Amino acid sequence: MEVHLNRVDYIQVGVTSQKTMRLLPALGKKATQKVAVADHDGVLTCFGMKKGEAVPVFKTLPGQKITRMDLGGAAGTPQEKIFVCSGSQVRGFTKKGKQFLTFEANLTESINAMHVSGADLFVCASYIYNHYCDCKDQDYFLCGDKINDITCLSLDSRQVPVLACQDRVLRVLKGSELSYNTEVPGPPSVLELYNRDGGEEVLLGTTDGKIGLIQIGEKEATIKWEIENDKKKGGVLCIDTFDIVGDGVSDILVGRDDGSVEVYGFDSSSEPTLRFQHVLSESVTSVQGGCVGKESYDEVLTVTYTGWVTGLTTEPQKAEAGPGEEVKMSKETQSKVEALRAELEQLQIKVLQGREQYQQTSQSSTAVSSVPVFSINDKFSLCRDDASYSLTLEVQTAIDNLLLQSDVPIDLLDVDKNSAVVSFSECDSEQTNGNFLLATYRCQANTTRLELKVRSIEGQYGTLQAYVTPRLQPKTCQVRQYQIKPLSLHQRSHHVDPDRPMNRLSLVGQFSLAEIHSWVVFCLPEVPEKTPAGDSVTFYFQNTFLGTQLEATYCRGEGHFRSDNISTISILSDVLSKEATKRKINLNISYDINDDSVSHTLNMIHPKLEYQLVLARKVQLIDALKELQVHEGNADFLVPEYRSILDESSSLLDEFKKQPAHLERLYGMITDLYIDKYKFKGQNVKTKVSSLLEILDHYDLNSLLDFFNEA
């Protein structure tokens, strides 16, 4: 069953954080609900709808940025008390705006996740979880990785907190102790109880766009279903459950960071299916199901990053006219249009007055230049599917242009969603400025969000800088920096395959656990900045491009790294010894190289290389085949293989265009592997690289293996 929803914009508040909007409980069965929304200006706004107009119930004074909101109340009563957190402080308001609680959690970091249940308050900073009951400290837990969200369910009348952590793990707590971990398919960004009245099921959304339902048990958790992100949509920022279809079964409402709003419903199967999708121009920070605009008409209410409160309502918005008929606007709609026209005229007058005032003050002898402040929401994350980094930049006002600068070699990949015009400047990387990339994106009017994709080369590390210039006067710019790490294409995993041939790098020296951990943070992505608790640490990684693996185990004075790729060991050895030298620490470095790992790595590269060679060969033939087709009038005389190349020419060219330098990248990896193999044997084989490239040009796996084995 499909759902038809119509968009209605209500009001705009300031820039918002994730999960900062809630619908207050309705007074009657079909009555409209009040909306509470909080923003970065520290303002909590509560409004309701009356005759199609947003009428404020209350609005607090500006203050510190509000990062989360939740509703609470005594058990068994309507959950209509509003709780917001700013910094390390939690404040409570009644539904009429009276403040009844100010609670200082005394955390060293700002609260970024919160859950309220009766007299219990659960708050999380980056790595710290605290549980308070009636504002008295109950439980505390120090987490091994960053906490993104928290929810709490009741098992046998006992509160069970569940933490969503960046290392692809849900941590289920019992008091101040860890009860158990459960692995999830991606870094979890949001948790929501599937049934608001209780139960053991938790909805999960991940930063790489997956959705799942997990049943939390006493000793273990099980994934009941999971929706893959096959269409490469944005990461999930918010989830809610509400019966928008009206079939008696709760549907799943999802808001994503690419502006997608989705409704998933249940048919005869136990897994959800997509029933409705709408795309907004900004990331969706909050989503709720309820009745806001008009009695008896349910809707999906959303809040975007820049603070637009928008409803997707079941109420019909457009009257349809038959042949020769005119559509007549209702009096309500006419008054709305007139009010909007009057408001628009007032705004235009204000803008003209503001411009005149600015011109006068800027020409004054005592004029002081004022730089306009604007907020940027950015995300730089590794995509497992295509081994590239996705850079998303979202600005609260329209973007004029974006300059990308990198001091390491990176490839820019095509993004379909991106409508900006890109131009490249010539770079001379040999000079002292070390520029490898200078690219400018000129944006179309009203573009507030840009998504870019870059691919780095492992072993070459530095900084990618983004200079964002919005359409503001006077002209101003903000710079964002992103570290390209030495092993930038490695992603955290939970285990490694013990049967692979592994190479080993061992370090011994006078260094602390914090020092070697900082070196690992410098080398590898997705490692928590904070030094984990305990005497020793073990992390597992997988290379998203090749599928090779890495195991890192280290403690005070000792570090061991195992990988089935010699080049990974070589990069780690170079970078770790350089970092130790900077701190004047002597290292005793030893290697255990397994020759079988080289042929193993080449066999992993083989299918990718063979595919790219075939693709390149097909693309080279397209122009010649098209000429033959034009000359002969048709392609019937061609063999089936060539006919299929002609039929698929557009998709082949698109794929080839989306993967620039893919073949060169694979050639480079094989060359590095060859040099690294003999480097550990004390031989310099750089003079033989030209012979290696000749073999690659006439590629055959057996010939390549033979060449690698020649001493």
Side-chain angles (χ1 to χ4, degrees):
M1 191 199 305
E2 293 300 314
V3 189
H4 298 286
L5 302 176
N6 300 297
R7 176 174 170 172
V8 186
D9 291 329
Y10 293 124
I11 63 167
Q12 187 179 20
V13 295
V15 173
T16 61
S17 289
Q18 190 182 358
K19 292 174 80 169
T20 49
M21 181 272 290
R22 294 284 187 189
L23 287 177
L24 301 183
L27 297 174
K29 194 173 182 182
K30 293 186 178 181
T32 57
Q33 294 171 262
K34 303 289 188 292
V35 182
V37 57
D39 59 31
H40 285 194
D41 298 328
V43 177
L44 170 61
T45 304
C46 181
F47 73 93
M49 297 301 294
K50 197 171 184 181
K51 294 182 180 177
E53 293 288 323
V55 179
V57 177
F58 70 86
K59 194 173 183 178
T60 65
L61 293 171
Q64 196 175 353
K65 167 181 168 181
I66 295 174
T67 51
R68 281 292 162 102
M69 177 194 288
D70 202 4
L71 295 181
T77 65
Q79 303 293 291
E80 55 188 18
K81 289 186 168 63
I82 305 163
F83 295 87
V84 294
C85 50
S86 307
S88 61
Q89 189 182 76
V90 177
R91 288 176 294 154
F93 296 86
T94 65
K95 63 179 180 179
K96 292 186 178 177
K98 183 182 178 184
Q99 186 171 336
F100 66 88
L101 173 71
T102 303
F103 173 62
E104 184 60 56
N106 289 324
L107 298 174
T108 52
E109 297 170 326
S110 295
I111 296 169
N112 60 12
M114 174 177 69
H115 181 84
V116 180
S117 175
D120 294 292
L121 172 67
F122 305 87
V123 295
C124 297
S126 293
Y127 297 91
I128 300 164
Y129 153 83
N130 270 90
H131 171 205
Y132 303 94
C133 186
D134 286 323
C135 297
K136 292 176 184 172
D137 208 341
Q138 294 289 310
D139 300 310
Y140 166 89
F141 179 74
L142 180 63
C143 194
D145 211 321
K146 192 179 174 191
I147 303 167
N148 292 331
D149 202 6
I150 181 173
T151 192
C152 191
L153 39 83
S154 297
L155 291 178
D156 301 328
S157 71
R158 179 173 62 86
Q159 297 275 28
V160 179
V162 182
L163 308 181
C165 302
Q166 187 63 28
D167 55 354
R168 295 175 173 75
V169 163
L170 296 188
R171 288 177 167 84
V172 181
L173 305 183
K174 187 175 183 179
S176 295
E177 300 295 322
L178 176 67
S179 180
Y180 63 86
N181 287 336
T182 184
E183 297 170 11
V184 289
S189 52
V190 58
L191 297 176
E192 201 69 47
L193 293 175
Y194 183 55
N195 186 345
R196 293 179 187 176
D197 300 327
E200 303 175 355
E201 295 174 335
V202 173
L203 278 167
L204 161 87
T206 69
T207 56
D208 52 5
K210 294 170 187 158
I211 306 162
L213 182 69
I214 297 181
Q215 184 162 2
I216 306 292
E218 278 287 344
K219 295 183 179 177
E220 63 174 5
T222 52
I223 297 178
K224 297 191 77 175
W225 51 256
E226 177 192 333
I227 302 173
E228 289 288 337
N229 187 16
D230 296 327
K231 294 188 178 176
K232 307 290 182 290
K233 296 172 186 171
V236 179
L237 288 181
C238 46
I239 294 183
D240 191 30
T241 53
F242 182 76
D243 181 15
I244 192 75
V245 178
D247 58 359
V249 180
S250 289
D251 304 301
I252 298 166
L253 318 178
V254 178
R256 297 179 182 269
D257 64 15
D258 63 353
S260 298
V261 183
E262 298 168 331
V263 176
Y264 289 88
F266 292 87
D267 295 324
S268 54
S269 64
S270 57
E271 291 199 7
T273 53
L274 184 64
R275 290 186 173 173
F276 175 82
Q277 182 177 2
H278 182 81
V279 180
L280 301 169
S281 59
E282 305 158 10
S283 58
V284 181
T285 52
S286 303
V287 66
Q288 290 269 280
C291 178
V292 177
K294 198 169 185 180
E295 289 179 8
S296 305
Y297 288 104
D298 290 335
E299 65 185 85
V300 177
L301 193 72
T302 63
V303 177
T304 63
Y305 169 67
T306 61
W308 272 109
V309 182
T310 302
L312 297 167
T313 176
T314 52
E315 181 188 0
Q317 296 291 307
K318 293 177 183 175
E320 293 183 7
E325 292 180 16
E326 285 187 13
V327 178
K328 291 184 179 178
M329 283 194 291
S330 65
K331 285 184 180 179
E332 190 180 307
T333 309
Q334 280 178 338
S335 62
K336 257 189 195 180
V337 171
E338 284 167 12
L340 285 169
R341 279 182 183 148
E343 190 182 349
L344 189 60
E345 284 173 12
Q346 287 176 353
L347 286 170
Q348 285 171 338
I349 292 165
K350 277 186 181 178
V351 168
L352 286 170
Q353 288 173 346
R355 277 187 183 151
E356 284 173 14
Q357 193 177 351
Y358 175 72
Q359 290 292 336
Q360 288 169 3
T361 53
S362 63
Q363 289 166 11
S364 164
S365 57
T366 57
V368 178
S369 179
S370 170
V371 178
V373 178
F374 62 96
S375 178
I376 295 180
N377 179 27
D378 59 343
K379 188 173 88 167
F380 189 62
S381 57
L382 179 59
C383 306
R384 189 186 193 98
D385 298 330
D386 57 1
S388 68
Y389 274 89
S390 171
L391 172 59
T392 306
L393 293 156
E394 193 168 17
V395 183
Q396 69 181 107
T397 185
I399 303 170
D400 187 14
N401 62 72
L402 166 72
L403 173 69
L404 274 190
Q405 184 269 334
S406 173
D407 57 5
V408 285
I410 58 172
D411 297 329
L412 277 181
L413 309 181
D414 270 357
V415 178
D416 295 333
K417 299 174 190 173
N418 193 348
S419 58
V421 179
V422 63
S423 56
F424 295 90
S425 304
E426 283 190 25
C427 300
D428 189 355
S429 56
E430 300 300 319
Q431 293 181 356
T432 51
N433 58 15
N435 275 340
F436 280 91
L437 172 77
L438 278 175
T440 307
Y441 286 84
R442 291 193 306 280
C443 301
Q444 297 177 359
N446 301 324
T447 301
T448 58
R449 189 176 186 278
L450 267 181
E451 189 175 325
L452 318 171
K453 269 187 180 287
V454 299
R455 186 176 286 143
S456 56
I457 299 170
E458 288 209 322
Q460 306 202 39
Y461 53 96
T463 308
L464 172 68
Q465 297 190 105
Y467 296 79
V468 185
T469 308
R471 293 181 188 272
L472 289 176
Q473 292 295 336
K475 278 293 177 193
T476 183
C477 176
Q478 275 192 37
V479 186
R480 288 284 192 272
Q481 293 188 333
Y482 309 97
Q483 296 304 313
I484 307 289
K485 304 202 173 189
L487 293 173
S488 54
L489 299 181
H490 278 70
Q491 194 177 57
R492 281 278 294 276
S493 61
H494 298 298
H495 45 75
V496 294
D497 180 0
D499 299 327
R500 293 190 185 182
M502 302 291 269
N503 307 285
R504 187 185 183 94
L505 163 69
S506 296
L507 310 174
V508 177
Q510 294 294 314
F511 50 78
S512 66
L513 176 62
E515 280 174 320
I516 190 169
H517 180 72
S518 70
W519 302 342
V520 173
V521 169
F522 180 79
C523 288
L524 287 146
E526 299 191 356
V527 180
E529 295 278 343
K530 195 179 182 73
T531 307
D535 296 329
S536 69
V537 184
T538 300
F539 290 121
Y540 302 113
F541 300 88
Q542 187 175 33
N543 186 308
T544 53
F545 193 75
L546 292 181
T548 55
Q549 59 191 27
L550 169 67
E551 178 188 327
T553 303
Y554 50 93
C555 58
R556 182 183 175 185
E558 207 172 314
H560 302 284
F561 303 87
R562 296 170 66 240
S563 174
D564 53 341
N565 187 349
I566 284 182
S567 294
T568 302
I569 294 294
S570 174
I571 292 165
L572 272 173
S573 172
D574 293 344
V575 177
L576 292 174
S577 55
K578 195 178 286 185
E579 288 300 300
T581 305
K582 278 184 194 173
R583 291 169 173 78
K584 298 180 180 176
I585 296 172
N586 288 326
L587 288 183
N588 183 5
I589 303 177
S590 59
Y591 310 98
D592 181 10
I593 302 302
N594 186 336
D595 283 341
D596 292 341
S597 70
V598 177
S599 56
H600 159 79
T601 306
L602 288 173
N603 276 298
M604 292 190 79
I605 295 173
H606 169 68
K608 297 177 186 296
L609 182 58
E610 198 169 47
Y611 179 80
Q612 287 300 320
L613 286 165
V614 170
L615 178 64
R617 208 169 289 131
K618 284 180 177 178
V619 168
Q620 281 178 334
L621 287 170
I622 287 172
D623 287 342
L625 289 172
K626 280 184 176 176
E627 276 188 38
L628 277 171
Q629 186 183 22
V630 170
H631 188 266
E632 296 294 330
N634 59 52
D636 296 343
F637 66 97
L638 292 172
V639 294
E641 181 192 347
Y642 289 162
R643 283 207 301 272
S644 70
I645 291 173
L646 273 175
D647 294 340
E648 298 165 10
S649 59
S650 58
S651 60
L652 289 170
L653 286 166
D654 282 346
E655 188 176 354
F656 194 71
K657 188 184 172 186
K658 283 181 181 176
Q659 302 186 33
H662 208 97
L663 204 54
E664 289 86 342
R665 182 68 56 87
L666 290 165
Y667 278 18
M669 287 178 176
I670 293 169
T671 306
D672 289 343
L673 190 68
Y674 182 64
I675 292 168
D676 290 335
K677 175 184 175 177
Y678 287 99
K679 183 180 85 172
F680 285 114
K681 293 185 175 184
Q683 298 176 34
N684 187 341
V685 290
K686 287 185 180 177
T687 53
K688 294 184 180 179
V689 168
S690 56
S691 305
L692 173 61
L693 292 173
E694 279 181 31
I695 287 173
L696 289 173
D697 286 338
H698 306 88
Y699 177 68
D700 174 69
L701 179 60
N702 293 325
S703 304
L704 186 63
L705 289 169
D706 291 341
F707 183 82
F708 263 76
N709 292 327
E710 290 173 11

